[in-house]
């Protein structure tokens, strides 16, 4: 039992924390709890009231071919976007950090895609990929490579999305690498210059190891972003053709707001959260041994 002295000494601190605690409970803990409960219920248009069915929603996912196709899509989407956008962001940051003229313009140009609203980005790239009169189709005709339907072909649509997301996210990750580069001591580069070290050796032995904390952070952000794509898919493909571009969060959106199957949508949400936690934990503990914080 907490004493009166405890409340007298700590009541002011709890009053300051109270607004944050209320919002945390309302918008974090309550939705999580409600999602876990719904994942154990049948809550669709066939049930007037939610019916407790235990783990049946989870068992049904094992035989859901669309679920496995969506997971496969998400796997290749993550493989295609995460390493490419991180490598490109690192190269852009090193270049922007060393640019002697127009440094501000270079940084702005690289970061510019993140200033544009996501819906506008989707519409711009929708025009670029449009067959016959889209920008990319005109370029392909110019080099006599034919007219490809990038968003209508199941073999091409995922590549089209990967290119768009890498274009958007590389500039965003570049900002973190630029901040990391500011913390690298110039004395190290001066010592390497005196020793006559080549630029690639300087990058491999000094720059890249000291940017490992930034790389760890960027990798976790990139991983979560690879599972959060909804708005672009809604505008550009709606998961098609034949679910070839459907990703996990868009599949959840479809189940919840197109088919009104809240039980299955909640189950998919729990699966996604657990999957992200496991992958992030593996990333963190695996890379933490390679990180040099000083």
């Amino acid at each position: 039992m907490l004493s009166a002295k405890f409340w007298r000494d700590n009541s002011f601190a709890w009053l300051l924390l109270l607004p944050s605690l209320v919002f945390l409970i309302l918008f974090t803990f309550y939705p999580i709890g409600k999602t876990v409960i719904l994942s154990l219920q049948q809550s669709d248009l066939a049930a007037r009231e939610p019916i407790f069915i235990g783990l049946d929603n989870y068992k049904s996912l094992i035989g859901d071919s669309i679920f496995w196709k969506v997971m496969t899509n998400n796997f290749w989407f993550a493989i295609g976007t995460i390493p490419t956008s991180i490598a490109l962001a690192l190269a852009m940051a090193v270049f922007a950090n060393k640019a002697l003229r127009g440094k501000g313009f270079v940084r702005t140009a690289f970061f510019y895609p993140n200033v544009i609203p996501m819906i506008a980005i989707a519409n711009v790239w929708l025009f670029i990929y449009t067959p016959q009169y889209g920008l990319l189709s005109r370029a392909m005709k110019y080099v006599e490579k034919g007219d490809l339907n990038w968003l209508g072909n199941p073999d091409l649509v995922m590549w089209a999305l990967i290119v768009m997301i890498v274009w958007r996210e590389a500039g965003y990750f570049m900002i973190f690498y630029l901040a990391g580069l500011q913390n690298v001591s110039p004395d190290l580069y001066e010592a390497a210059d005196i020793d006559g070290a080549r630029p690639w050796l300087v990058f491999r032995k000094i720059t890249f190891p000291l940017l490992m904390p930034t790389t760890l952070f960027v990798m976790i952000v990139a991983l979560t972003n690879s599972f959060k794509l909804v708005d672009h898919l809604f505008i550009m493909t709606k998961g098609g053709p034949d679910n070839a571009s459907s990703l996990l969060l868009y599949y959840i959106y479809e189940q919840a707001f197109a088919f009104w199957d809240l039980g299955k949508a909640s189950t998919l949400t729990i699966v996604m959260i657990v999957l992200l936690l496991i992958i992030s934990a593996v990333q963190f503990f695996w890379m933490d041994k390679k990180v040099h914080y000083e």
Side-chain angles (χ1 to χ4, degrees):
M1 181 118 183
L2 298 177
S3 64
K5 185 177 183 304
F6 173 85
W7 290 110
R8 189 170 57 251
D9 294 342
N10 298 283
S11 57
F12 184 65
W14 281 108
L15 282 175
L16 292 177
L17 290 172
L18 186 60
S20 299
L21 284 175
V22 170
F23 280 98
L24 196 63
I25 292 170
L26 283 179
F27 298 108
T28 302
F29 296 143
Y30 174 74
I32 291 175
K34 185 71 175 176
T35 302
V36 171
I37 293 171
L38 273 174
S39 72
L40 302 175
Q41 295 177 332
Q42 179 189 351
S43 179
D44 53 21
L45 295 176
R48 296 184 62 182
E49 296 292 336
I51 303 170
F52 180 78
I53 56 174
L55 297 176
D56 285 359
N57 282 330
Y58 293 92
K59 293 176 183 175
S60 67
L61 289 183
I62 298 174
D64 186 351
S65 59
I66 297 178
F67 168 71
W68 291 111
K69 187 169 187 176
V70 167
M71 293 298 289
T72 305
N73 290 342
N74 228 133
F75 172 77
W76 288 115
F77 182 75
I79 293 292
T81 55
I82 295 174
T84 311
S85 58
I86 291 177
L88 192 57
L90 181 56
M92 290 160 60
V94 172
F95 175 75
N97 195 49
K98 289 186 176 179
L100 298 178
R101 292 183 179 179
K103 184 180 289 188
F105 173 78
V106 171
R107 293 180 180 183
T108 304
F110 287 159
F111 187 71
Y112 181 70
N114 292 277
V115 179
I116 308 173
M118 292 183 181
I119 301 299
I121 290 177
N123 280 290
V124 168
W125 281 89
L126 188 62
F127 165 71
I128 291 174
Y129 288 137
T130 300
Q132 296 184 354
Y133 61 85
L135 188 63
L136 189 57
S137 291
R138 289 177 180 272
M140 297 293 285
K141 285 180 182 177
Y142 184 76
V143 297
E144 298 181 351
K145 292 295 183 182
D147 187 16
L148 299 176
N149 186 357
W150 293 90
L151 299 180
N153 188 326
D155 297 328
L156 298 176
V157 64
M158 188 55 68
W159 290 106
L161 293 175
I162 288 173
V163 170
M164 178 186 67
I165 295 303
V166 168
W167 171 81
R168 193 194 71 182
E169 295 210 325
Y172 176 61
F173 296 147
M174 179 200 70
I175 296 299
F176 297 109
Y177 277 119
L178 273 176
L181 285 171
Q182 307 307 312
N183 293 324
V184 180
S185 173
D187 296 342
L188 297 173
Y189 292 118
E190 290 176 6
D193 188 44
I194 293 172
D195 290 340
R198 295 183 175 181
W200 171 246
L201 187 63
V202 173
F203 174 80
R204 193 162 59 88
K205 295 292 185 181
I206 297 176
T207 305
F208 187 69
L210 292 177
L211 287 177
M212 284 303 286
T214 307
T215 302
L216 174 61
F217 172 76
V218 167
M219 280 187 70
I220 293 176
V221 173
L223 173 69
T224 55
N225 285 350
S226 68
F227 281 83
K228 287 165 49 182
L229 196 68
V230 170
D231 32 22
H232 295 80
L233 296 182
F234 186 82
I235 296 294
M236 298 177 71
T237 66
K238 289 186 169 53
D242 192 23
N243 295 302
S245 64
S246 183
L247 302 178
L248 186 53
L249 193 57
Y250 185 78
Y251 190 47
I252 294 172
Y253 162 79
E254 274 191 327
Q255 297 302 319
F257 301 108
F259 306 134
W260 295 104
D261 190 345
L262 299 181
K264 185 173 182 179
S266 300
T267 307
L268 290 165
T269 303
I270 297 298
V271 170
M272 185 179 73
I273 291 173
V274 171
L275 187 63
L276 286 175
L277 285 175
I278 292 173
I279 297 176
S280 298
V282 170
Q283 274 186 317
F284 182 80
F285 290 114
W286 173 65
M287 286 197 64
D288 193 50
K289 299 176 182 176
K290 303 177 185 297
V291 170
H292 303 274
Y293 289 100
E294 293 183 0

